[in-house]
Amino acid sequence: MSIVTLRLPEVKAIEPNRPTRCPYCPGETFQRWGGEIREVRDPQIREAVVYRYRCCQCHRTFRHYPEGIDQGQQTERMRVLAAVTWMLGLSYRGLSVIFAAFGSVISRMTAWRDVQQRARKLQAGWQAKKVRVVGIDGAYVSGWAKTQGVLVVIDMGSGEPITVGYVDEKDSQAVKRFLEPLVQQLGISVIVTDDLSSYKQVADKLRLDHQICQFHVRRWVGRALRELQQNLADEWQWMVAEVRQILADLPIEGDKRLIAIYRQLPASQMGRPNAEYTPVEKLRYVIIRLAENWERFRVFDLRPDVPWTNNPTEQVIGKMKMRARTVRGYKNWPGMASGLMVAGTGIK
Ligand SMILES: [Zn+2]
């Protein structure tokens, strides 16, 4: 495991500076208008001083909170600590036990809310950002969603999850609806996915560049070619070797070379009913599928910010799954979504 530092929000027990602007009007001058000592839940401080001020212009009064403190009982630091502790594997019940040992009372409900709030903050944090390249993948874990999986979108730059959606990755309409506002908001121009056809349709409709994960491609093509090596007549064996070589090299005009090979194969009988495909037909299928997707294999070669596999997305999903295994009681989708976001983000 790598060493990570946990940066928690600063919390001040007292705010040394006066307010600079009125929450109600453009006023900039204030009189102190009393104050209070507030008990707070925090791992380091027990109390904080909250002053009230009165605006000289509109005469309204307001509380001026020290950094890390708001109207809630918990400090910002406590909320983040609760969410991160949960992410590391404690149950909501376990969390309240641990914090009690440090003299802080935190209920299961509070811990639950802290995780939700952390997730909302994480998601809101993306709103002001620009993200050019995202990885997308469906995730399936028993006990999450009943029949369909969830869709995970990550920023390829930082490797962190941007959002999770209750969306079936095979439903291209649903994926498009889910992705379109995100594409506009963040300025996304490339998606990295496996080679499901739904992603191709979405990329085309939203006019995105599309990198298909080369691990996925090599896995299924490798399997298909090994099988063909055993079943195909000797006269076609050189084609298997050639296709393998083209895929290994990923040359710019690989699709043209594939089509040239394809033309040397005998005409297809594909489409006749109730018949198994012959080895030659299977080879035709592999070649044509590679050729038609060729541009989507090579985006990484043209754009240095695009990875050639969807590995970073799979890593985030791995973190989510690891956490989900020990979590019981994702009662509803919003709760599940925020749990997955917090789990997938990790410590930072
Ligand atoms: Zn005012």
Side-chain angles (χ1 to χ4, degrees), residues 303-318:
R303 295 193 43 162
D305 54 344
V306 177
W308 77 311
T309 75
N310 204 11
N311 237 27
T313 312
E314 281 165 25
Q315 279 174 20
V316 167
I317 290 174

Side-chain angles (χ1 to χ4, degrees), residues 22-30 55-60 62:
C22 173
Y24 304 108
C25 81
E28 287 176 349
T29 48
F30 311 95
C55 174
C56 298
Q57 195 170 324
C58 71
H59 303 301
R60 294 170 87 166
F62 57 91

Side-chain angles (χ1 to χ4, degrees), residues 6 20 29 70 72 81 116 131 137 167 173 188 202 221 224 226 242 253-254 328:
L6 178 54
T20 51
T29 48
D70 56 25
L81 197 58
Q116 313 279 299
V131 177
D137 202 0
V167 176
Q173 287 294 325
I188 295 165
V202 170
V221 175
R226 272 193 301 280
E242 181 74 5
E253 301 206 314
R328 310 263 181 276

Side-chain angles (χ1 to χ4, degrees), residues 39-201:
E39 269 186 52
V40 292
R41 289 176 182 167
D42 182 85
Q44 289 174 30
I45 63 168
R46 290 281 170 268
E47 306 179 319
V49 178
V50 180
Y51 287 122
R52 288 186 81 82
Y53 286 88
R54 182 172 182 263
C55 174
C56 298
Q57 195 170 324
C58 71
H59 303 301
R60 294 170 87 166
T61 65
F62 57 91
R63 290 189 180 86
H64 183 48
Y65 292 102
E67 189 178 351
I69 290 178
D70 56 25
Q71 57 272 49
Q73 259 199 309
Q74 297 186 89
T75 64
E76 188 57 30
R77 175 163 56 201
M78 186 71 172
R79 290 193 195 114
V80 171
L81 197 58
V84 168
T85 312
W86 175 86
M87 186 273 295
L88 290 173
L90 274 182
S91 64
Y92 291 108
R93 196 181 299 278
L95 245 151
S96 36
V97 171
I98 292 293
F99 281 107
F102 288 99
S104 290
V105 183
I106 179 172
S107 70
R108 290 182 66 203
M109 244 354 261
T110 308
W112 166 249
R113 275 199 303 267
D114 290 342
V115 172
Q116 313 279 299
Q117 200 211 28
R118 167 99 167 139
R120 277 197 298 274
K121 280 225 162 131
L122 289 171
Q123 280 196 309
W126 290 103
Q127 273 163 18
K129 289 184 187 157
K130 286 283 161 231
V131 177
R132 297 271 168 240
V133 189
V134 297
I136 308 172
D137 202 0
Y140 301 84
V141 172
S142 57
W144 281 14
K146 286 191 181 60
T147 49
Q148 74 181 33
V150 300
L151 201 65
V152 178
V153 181
I154 79 148
D155 166 27
M156 278 299 186
S158 63
E160 286 180 10
I162 296 169
T163 189
V164 293
Y166 192 55
V167 176
D168 178 3
E169 67 172 342
K170 294 189 182 74
D171 179 348
S172 70
Q173 287 294 325
V175 174
K176 178 177 170 273
R177 271 197 304 275
F178 177 70
L179 219 54
E180 196 161 15
L182 213 59
V183 165
Q184 284 165 1
Q185 186 197 323
L186 300 176
I188 295 165
S189 60
V190 188
I191 61 171
V192 183
T193 73
D194 58 32
D195 60 356
L196 271 183
S197 62
S198 51
Y199 291 129
K200 294 173 204 164
Q201 292 166 33

